[in-house]
Structures are given as structure tokens and as C-alpha cells.
Amino acid sequence: MAQIEPRPGTTLQDRYALQEGWVYLTGMQALVRLPLQQRARDKARGWNTGGYISGYRGSPMGRYDMELWAAEALLKDSNIVFRAGLNEDLAATALWGSQQVGNFEGAQVDGVFGIWYGKGPGVDRSGDALRHANLAGTSPRGGVICLAGDDHGAKSSTVANFSDPVFIAVGMPVLYPSNTQELLDYGLHGIAMSRYSGCWVALKVVTDVVEGGGSVRVGIDQPAISLPEQEAMPPDAHGRGVHIRAVDMAIPQEQRLYTYKIRAALQYARTNELNRITVNPPGARALIVAAGKAWQDVLQALQHLGWSEERLLRQGVRLLKVAMVWPLDPQVVREAARGVDTVVVVEEKRPLLEDQIRTILYGQERPPRLVGKHVHGLVFDAEPGPVAFADHGEITPPLVASVLQTTLGSLFAAKPAAAPLCPAANTPLEMAP
């Protein structure tokens, strides 16, 4: 076996200081590197930007402020200010104010990019501030992302957290990373999307992802970011388009958000192919859809079943990895579902992806069978079938493997022998194939 040579001069400081190459980061360290990386990208473009971070700790975001304090000198050198919030509402309000830079005289920077953080209950209590701030918008060289720490299994919370519906209620696009690399990459995409669309952008951070770690590719051009061709923007004599105004009114804010800004965020996701078909056999007969932590569960379940990429291609099973869970891009869904007989949606908690997919595919001449929270006969069935993925608790790779084998096993000639997985925390009910 070939030996891997150590990189000369490697130090623990590389996780934040190395500009190009591979570094090992925990999920929390990736979120600390995020503003440093954004500042480096802006500087390379000749932009004089600043950063502002504020929020309130709570598991799984419980160590974020500690890691930020530990990197205080690096943040200061990059013109990034971290101020822990007295509470989540005041932190969000301060970030809202940071986007006004440029609307008044005396600005010392071109814009301020912002990061808000909090756990699920903090998202709940801050709904009013988040709604006002998202309606007001962002500045073209600012942008704001919201890091929501969701505790799906209530491991360290009095209730199970699921922040997606709150963000949807305030009209905020939601990105869902599945590993450490995506915590960094989706954060940078989120800021770019926020600048382009004028929306605040949510980043759903769950325990399994943020408390993990891995080798991460970093660089000024990592990830590659492309801006869509400018679509029709709201008329404005001062050229502010979708962006924040010093003085604004409620109805024009609402019109811009739901007519232009959310559509611009969707166009950004499409241009940058954030939602991707990862396995795409011609003439596919089935489709598996997942995002975030559930995507990793799917990959592990497929490995256990012995359904390699080669077998998936041969047996006609397509995979769709979703990055932006809301709003879900109808274009990629229709492309992924073209010609298939069965769609399996793997997701925890409420049927966010499933309901959007059902809406997108409604009215097709041959709608596929949909398996999500329940086993459905057709996409628009009113009566649900047996439970597949419960809308409470967490899902596990053994559960995913069981559902996939039951619903799609007939596409494969035989189930290969496999070592048993760890016991499932959520045992599926018996289901008709």
C-alpha cells in the first residue's frame, strides 16, 4: 500500500489560515472558517467588506460562540465583529440594521455580511424579528444567513426542533447541508444568494452534521459561484431593486419578497446546480429524493443493500440530492421524476419535500407512486397508505434500507448478503410492496 506523505509545516492553525488546499475541520470549525473565507473572497474581488456575527447559544450550536471567541484575533484581522446576543431577537435586529450600511452617509465599508445563529427554540421566539428583517432585505455587498441548530431527536432539548416551517412562514429560503464540506460551501452560497436575491437565507444545522468533521477543500474559488442573468426586478428610481431601502412600506416589501426575491433565490440555486441528480440512468423507473442528514442515511442504506451506483444505473434507479429544501425547484423535480413509476422521499419530521413534490407533479398524465411519510398509490391520493417514514423522532440507515428494500427491491434480481446494521431506532411497519 502506498504511504501518504505528511505535508511539511502542517499546524493546527491551518484550519483557518490555509488559503488553498485540504484541511481537517469539525462542523463547528467550518462555521468559524465561513466568515473568514467570505472576507477573503470579497477582498480578492476588491471589495472592502466587513462581517458581523450575533446570536444566542444552544445545542447543537452550543459551542459556536466559544469557537468564535477562540478565533477572535483572526476575526479582527479580517474586519469581522462577533457580539454574542443578549437574546436571539436582539441579535437578529442588530443584523437587520447591519444591512442598512450604504443607505446613509458615513459608511466605512462597502457592505456587511452577517451570520445569525441559534437553536430551534431561538428561531421560534425570533419569528417577528426574522420576518421584519427578511421583508426589509439585504444590501448588495452584505447578505445574511441564519444558522438554525435543529435537534431532531430532542437529545439536549425539551422539545424536538424542526425550524423549517418557521423559516418558510417568514419567506426565507432554506439550505440543508449534509456534511462538513457543505456547511462551509452552503454558507458561502447562502451569502451570495442573499446578496443576489435580497432574502435572508436559512442554513439548517443538525446535530449529526455540525458535531461531525472531515477533510474540507478550501480556496478563494471554492465553491465556484455564478450569478444568474438578471431577471425582471421591481422598478425603483434609485436602482435598489430587491435590496433594502432606508425608508420602506409594508405592502411593497411583501410584493418584492413574494414576486421577485424568492424567485431570484430559486434562480440562483438553479444556476449553481445546488440541487443535483447524482445518479441518472436513462429510462429510470424509480427515484429516491433526500436532503441533509437524510441524504447520508440514504447513502449508508444503499451501501448496506449492496445497491452500488453501477447497480442503480443498471436497474433504473435515479437519485436526487436536494440542497435547497424550500422553495423546491420544480424544474429539477420534473427532470428527475421523468418517466419513473415510483418516487421515494426520505426525510425526517414533516413532509416538506414530499408535499412540494406532490404539488409539482400533480396533473401529470401518469403520476408516479409516492412513498414518503406513507406509502401512496398515486401522487394525489387522498387516503394515505401504511407509514414509511414517521413524522416524529429521527430516521436511521436501517429504517431507510428496510423501506427501500420493501418498495424498490423488486427492481433488483436478488438482495445481496449484508452484515446487519446497528439496531434501528425507528422500526418500520409492515408495508405492501
Side-chain angles (χ1 to χ4, degrees):
M1 179 181 297
Q3 291 187 342
I4 299 176
E5 294 294 328
R7 189 175 65 207
T10 298
T11 70
L12 290 175
Q13 295 306 311
D14 285 354
R15 61 178 179 258
Y16 300 141
L18 188 71
Q19 295 301 305
E20 296 282 344
W22 290 91
V23 294
Y24 181 87
L25 297 172
T26 67
M28 201 61 71
Q29 290 166 353
L31 295 177
V32 174
R33 176 153 186 139
L34 168 58
L36 297 169
Q37 195 79 18
Q38 182 61 58
R39 171 62 179 140
R41 293 180 73 109
D42 288 347
K43 188 175 181 180
R45 299 184 66 179
W47 291 3
N48 177 28
T49 60
Y52 184 71
I53 307 170
S54 190
Y56 191 84
R57 72 165 68 181
S59 180
M61 297 297 296
R63 285 192 55 85
Y64 192 39
D65 50 8
M66 299 173 68
E67 296 286 353
L68 289 166
W69 277 317
E72 186 174 10
L74 289 172
L75 294 172
K76 184 177 180 180
D77 288 345
S78 293
N79 199 25
I80 298 166
V81 175
F82 166 53
R83 293 285 185 271
L86 181 64
N87 58 46
E88 297 90 344
D89 307 28
L90 291 175
T93 304
L95 283 159
W96 172 12
S98 74
Q99 298 308 292
Q100 290 284 5
V101 167
N103 286 337
F104 300 94
E105 293 184 3
Q108 299 177 12
V109 292
D110 299 334
V112 177
F113 56 88
I115 300 176
W116 178 95
Y117 66 93
K119 71 178 298 180
V123 177
D124 294 341
R125 67 161 287 161
S126 300
D128 181 49
L130 295 174
R131 183 187 301 275
H132 276 81
N134 188 45
L135 283 164
T138 62
S139 63
R141 296 189 182 182
V144 179
I145 57 172
C146 294
L147 307 179
D150 272 357
D151 184 5
H152 283 181
K155 294 182 176 69
S156 58
S157 309
T158 55
V159 295
N161 306 143
F162 180 60
S163 298
D164 308 49
V166 179
F167 287 126
I168 294 169
V170 303
M172 198 180 295
V174 182
L175 300 176
Y176 189 5
S178 67
N179 55 42
T180 309
Q181 180 78 64
E182 290 177 358
L183 282 171
L184 179 59
D185 290 355
Y186 286 10
L188 294 168
H189 274 299
I191 292 172
M193 179 188 293
S194 179
R195 290 172 167 177
Y196 174 75
S197 68
C199 290
W200 285 35
V201 175
L203 204 68
K204 182 180 172 70
V205 180
V206 298
T207 305
D208 298 70
V209 175
V210 77
E211 292 186 355
S215 295
V216 175
R217 180 73 170 89
V218 299
I220 294 298
D221 297 323
Q222 171 67 36
I225 289 176
S226 301
L227 295 183
E229 294 183 6
Q230 198 75 6
E231 291 188 346
M233 291 294 179
D236 177 66
H238 302 286
R240 289 168 295 190
V242 294
H243 296 106
I244 194 168
R245 283 112 159 107
V247 179
D248 211 349
M249 301 298 290
I251 298 304
Q253 284 184 340
E254 182 186 34
Q255 179 191 17
R256 282 196 302 275
L257 176 60
Y258 289 99
T259 304
Y260 299 100
K261 291 163 62 172
I262 292 176
R263 186 171 65 187
L266 187 60
Q267 184 61 34
Y268 177 94
R270 187 177 296 159
T271 299
N272 288 276
E273 298 182 336
L274 297 185
N275 308 305
R276 296 181 294 108
I277 299 173
T278 64
V279 177
N280 192 14
R285 295 180 287 173
L287 169 65
I288 303 171
V289 184
K293 184 256 183 186
W295 174 256
Q296 299 294 343
D297 293 337
V298 167
L299 296 183
Q300 190 171 340
L302 292 173
Q303 184 178 20
H304 168 69
L305 292 168
W307 295 1
S308 63
E309 181 175 346
E310 181 182 355
R311 292 195 75 197
L312 293 173
L313 288 168
R314 188 166 61 246
Q315 302 304 326
V317 178
R318 195 174 282 149
L319 300 185
L320 173 59
K321 182 181 188 300
V322 176
M324 190 161 79
V325 296
W326 189 88
L328 184 58
D329 185 0
Q331 182 172 299
V332 75
V333 169
R334 293 191 183 104
E335 180 185 353
R338 184 178 295 115
V340 305
D341 300 314
T342 303
V343 177
V344 181
V345 184
V346 184
E347 61 182 333
E348 292 181 323
K349 304 304 182 184
R350 261 50 79 202
L352 175 59
L353 293 176
E354 179 185 348
D355 286 350
Q356 291 180 92
I357 290 171
R358 181 182 295 108
T359 300
I360 291 167
L361 299 182
Y362 178 82
Q364 284 192 171
E365 185 177 347
R366 291 182 60 253
R369 173 193 184 203
L370 185 63
V371 178
K373 297 291 121 180
H374 298 267
V375 179
H376 297 271
L378 297 174
V379 167
F380 48 82
D381 266 0
E383 294 296 327
V387 172
F389 300 108
D391 58 4
H392 56 83
E394 298 179 289
I395 62 174
T396 62
L399 173 61
V400 176
S402 175
V403 173
L404 293 180
Q405 176 62 36
T406 302
T407 56
L408 303 180
S410 61
L411 296 178
F412 296 82
K415 181 181 179 182
L421 286 165
C422 59
N426 218 344
T427 305
L429 300 177
E430 291 295 324
M431 297 181 296

